[in-house]
Amino acid sequence: MVFAVKLHLFRVSNSNNEVVFSKGALQKLGATPGEHLSFKIGACHRFSAKAAVSTDRRSALGLPSDVFDELGLALIDGLHVKREGDTIHIGPTIGVMGAGKFDPERRHQQDMLNYAQTQGYIAFLFSPEDYNWANNTITGETMPGHRQPGLPLPTAIYNRIHTRDEEHKLRVEAIKNRMRALGSHIYNPGFFDKWEVHEHLMHGQKLRKYLPETHRAPTPALLKKILGRHHSAYLKPVDGRGGKMLMRLTKREKGYRLQWLTDLSCPHADFVQLEDAFEFAFCHTSLDQYLVQQSLDFSSFDGRSVDCRVQMHKDISGTWRCLMIGPRVCAHGCISSHFSQGADIVGTDDYFINAFGKKTEAVKAAVEECGFAIAHRMDEYHTSPIGELGLDVGIDKSGHPKLLEINAKPGRMIFLDPRHAEARVTTLEASIDYGAFLSGFGEDPE
């Protein structure tokens, strides 16, 4: 890895086409006064200039006024610079791509910008509509309320487009493909297909202990077999998100109970024959778009079922870290731990000590081991890099973790709880730091 130096920036108001280095910076980069160099900012923004030397005692870099003003660099205390051959790379440049002004994660994204500026990163928020096809620049938000045109196409783009419908629009796909072709690394490239992910994980022999029994395209005969082994089963859409269209079928003393989620509640219906429950569940739905997954006998808290959100993030060295294990308690009578369904957050230690007592540390370690094993396997799922995963993990009463679902773009509702305030900050920072790594300004693993 070619290491970068962090330099103080200043604006050069002259027309001599010069980039001005302090003597120390010039030496660190192996350049000489009068040398003509190529400068690269972002994926494809280049300019040439002659190296000049200043008397500034600090490690400093003076950029031409047009470059300095265009990129909004007055906001940044210092910037990272490295040399590869005759090219000086200035960066990192990181874009957070979301839904724009009305993005529900706007507050989190602005906090990412604040962090990026303290680290000396060029960072901004933008939406796909902000991309300029003619000159490969972006109109982005560099600080709250300030949008700036002409920003360079970032070397790393953190994709937080939060709906499948928006992600799958031809226009958005075309823009992402164009950005990749020009050299941008888009991390968190898209949503996951639950069945594809399950098959991918099943090929990893060591991961099977973490995977519940799962099948695609349920039939009455298949459901009878699963209910004979596991008492109840979940029916999940392969492309679902947020618990939408989730159902649970339970075998009762006389007949079967089907529960399903709506936007605000969890109604149910009882049936004598399984075939009737099946027809009710799938009368307007393609069977091929659903999975059936065994229900598990999870540990509980206050008599309610619990699962954990496990936040896995890559850091500035490109290394996976487990940054949070957050227990979520289902509402009474509900089949989901989503907050829209009335789920509660409980303190991590409160849950683990209550459920596992002296085994607490061993069970936590098992959950982390599960998280790392799955995260490393998921690196092979996409050709584009993955920077974060939100794993929904249930823990049975014996302390064994089971993977329920992998979220490609995990929501941030859980971070509204003060008990996860520190994890909120560390996950936001890691998301930006991984962009610095992809931009070529990372660090060696510890």
Side-chain angles (χ1 to χ4, degrees):
M1 180 179 291
V2 178
F3 289 95
V5 295
K6 190 173 183 181
L7 304 178
H8 295 280
L9 296 180
F10 61 94
R11 186 173 182 272
V12 178
S13 300
N14 62 40
S15 57
N16 296 330
N17 193 33
E18 290 181 336
V19 170
V20 181
F21 295 90
S22 64
K23 185 176 180 181
L26 209 62
Q27 290 175 342
K28 289 178 181 178
L29 293 170
T32 57
E35 183 179 2
H36 285 272
L37 295 168
S38 174
F39 294 82
K40 184 177 181 183
I41 304 177
C44 56
H45 187 100
R46 292 179 178 270
F47 67 95
S48 297
K50 183 172 64 175
V53 64
S54 76
T55 58
D56 198 322
R57 293 186 178 182
R58 302 176 302 168
S59 289
L61 171 65
L63 294 177
S65 56
D66 56 342
V67 174
F68 192 90
D69 296 339
E70 179 182 322
L71 301 182
L73 296 179
L75 302 172
I76 302 174
D77 292 334
L79 202 60
H80 302 263
V81 180
K82 68 177 184 178
R83 179 172 184 171
E84 292 180 337
D86 292 333
T87 301
I88 303 292
H89 296 266
I90 300 174
T93 50
I94 304 166
V96 180
M97 182 167 63
K101 184 176 180 180
F102 301 105
D103 197 304
E105 297 183 347
R106 189 170 177 77
R107 175 191 161 217
H108 302 295
Q109 293 169 355
Q110 289 176 339
D111 285 347
M112 289 182 197
L113 283 191
N114 294 334
Y115 171 71
Q117 288 169 10
T118 66
Q119 298 302 110
Y121 304 161
I122 301 171
F124 48 86
L125 312 180
F126 73 100
S127 64
E129 291 81 2
D130 295 322
Y131 175 66
N132 187 322
W133 286 80
N135 56 20
N136 297 313
T137 62
I138 289 174
T139 299
E141 182 177 331
T142 55
M143 59 185 295
H146 177 70
R147 283 171 54 79
Q148 184 166 325
L151 294 169
L153 181 64
T155 309
I157 296 172
Y158 177 33
N159 180 11
R160 286 298 295 187
I161 296 175
H162 61 281
T163 67
R164 288 179 185 269
D165 289 344
E166 182 67 19
E167 187 93 69
H168 291 159
K169 288 180 178 177
L170 292 177
R171 168 183 51 81
V172 175
E173 288 290 346
I175 289 171
K176 286 162 59 180
N177 290 336
R178 174 73 175 270
M179 289 173 170
R180 288 193 189 97
L182 291 169
S184 291
H185 301 280
I186 301 178
Y187 53 114
N188 296 11
F191 292 93
F192 297 152
D193 178 293
K194 290 183 177 65
W195 180 245
E196 285 184 1
V197 167
H198 178 76
E199 287 193 308
H200 178 71
L201 296 178
M202 282 293 288
H203 287 302
Q205 295 290 333
K206 294 181 180 179
L207 299 182
R208 293 189 177 186
K209 64 181 179 180
Y210 300 125
L211 305 179
E213 181 182 356
T214 305
H215 303 272
R216 187 167 191 171
T219 63
L222 176 59
L223 287 172
K224 281 184 179 179
K225 289 181 180 179
I226 293 176
L227 293 178
R229 291 193 290 267
H230 304 294
H231 179 66
S232 64
Y234 280 91
L235 303 165
K236 298 180 175 183
V238 295
D239 60 354
R241 187 169 189 248
K244 292 181 179 179
M245 306 304 293
L246 179 70
M247 296 180 279
R248 183 171 71 182
L249 184 64
T250 304
K251 186 177 181 181
R252 296 163 64 82
E253 185 176 346
K254 294 183 179 180
Y256 301 87
R257 170 164 290 183
L258 182 70
Q259 296 169 275
W260 63 94
L261 292 185
T262 69
D263 290 338
L264 298 174
S265 63
C266 183
H268 70 269
D270 293 328
F271 302 87
V272 175
Q273 300 295 327
L274 185 142
E275 288 76 10
D276 293 334
F278 184 86
E279 183 177 350
F280 181 89
F282 294 107
C283 59
H284 299 298
T285 304
S286 169
L287 298 179
D288 195 50
Q289 294 305 305
Y290 263 81
L291 306 180
V292 55
Q293 186 176 85
Q294 72 171 97
S295 185
L296 298 157
D297 188 16
F298 289 147
S299 55
S300 62
F301 186 88
D302 191 27
R304 294 183 287 165
S305 181
V306 178
D307 67 25
C308 294
R309 168 57 58 84
V310 179
Q311 287 285 147
M312 303 296 300
H313 286 256
K314 284 181 183 167
D315 62 13
I316 197 165
S317 68
T319 303
W320 281 111
R321 306 287 186 194
C322 180
L323 296 183
M324 186 189 74
I325 300 175
R328 303 175 300 183
V329 185
C330 293
H332 285 291
C334 191
I335 63 174
S336 167
S337 62
H338 289 92
F339 298 117
S340 60
Q341 298 296 323
D344 294 321
I345 297 172
V346 63
T348 304
D349 288 337
D350 293 338
Y351 160 65
F352 278 95
I353 292 172
N354 177 272
F356 303 107
K358 295 180 179 180
K359 294 172 57 180
T360 288
E361 294 307 316
V363 176
K364 279 187 184 178
V367 173
E368 286 198 10
E369 181 183 342
C370 169
F372 282 112
I374 289 167
H376 286 299
R377 177 67 181 165
M378 287 300 293
D379 274 335
E380 303 169 17
Y381 178 73
H382 268 299
T383 55
S384 295
I386 297 174
E388 68 180 334
L389 294 169
L391 310 182
D392 294 340
V393 176
I395 309 170
D396 67 23
K397 293 177 180 177
S398 299
H400 298 120
K402 293 285 187 180
L403 177 69
L404 306 178
E405 191 166 336
I406 302 180
N407 299 280
K409 298 179 185 181
R412 297 191 175 274
M413 286 289 291
I414 195 168
F415 295 116
L416 297 178
D417 189 283
R419 285 167 290 197
H420 295 309
E422 182 179 350
R424 174 184 179 272
V425 173
T426 57
T427 54
L428 294 179
E429 291 177 353
S431 296
I432 292 297
D433 282 340
Y434 183 57
F437 170 81
L438 292 177
S439 290
F441 292 86
E443 297 177 359
D444 283 338
E446 295 178 0

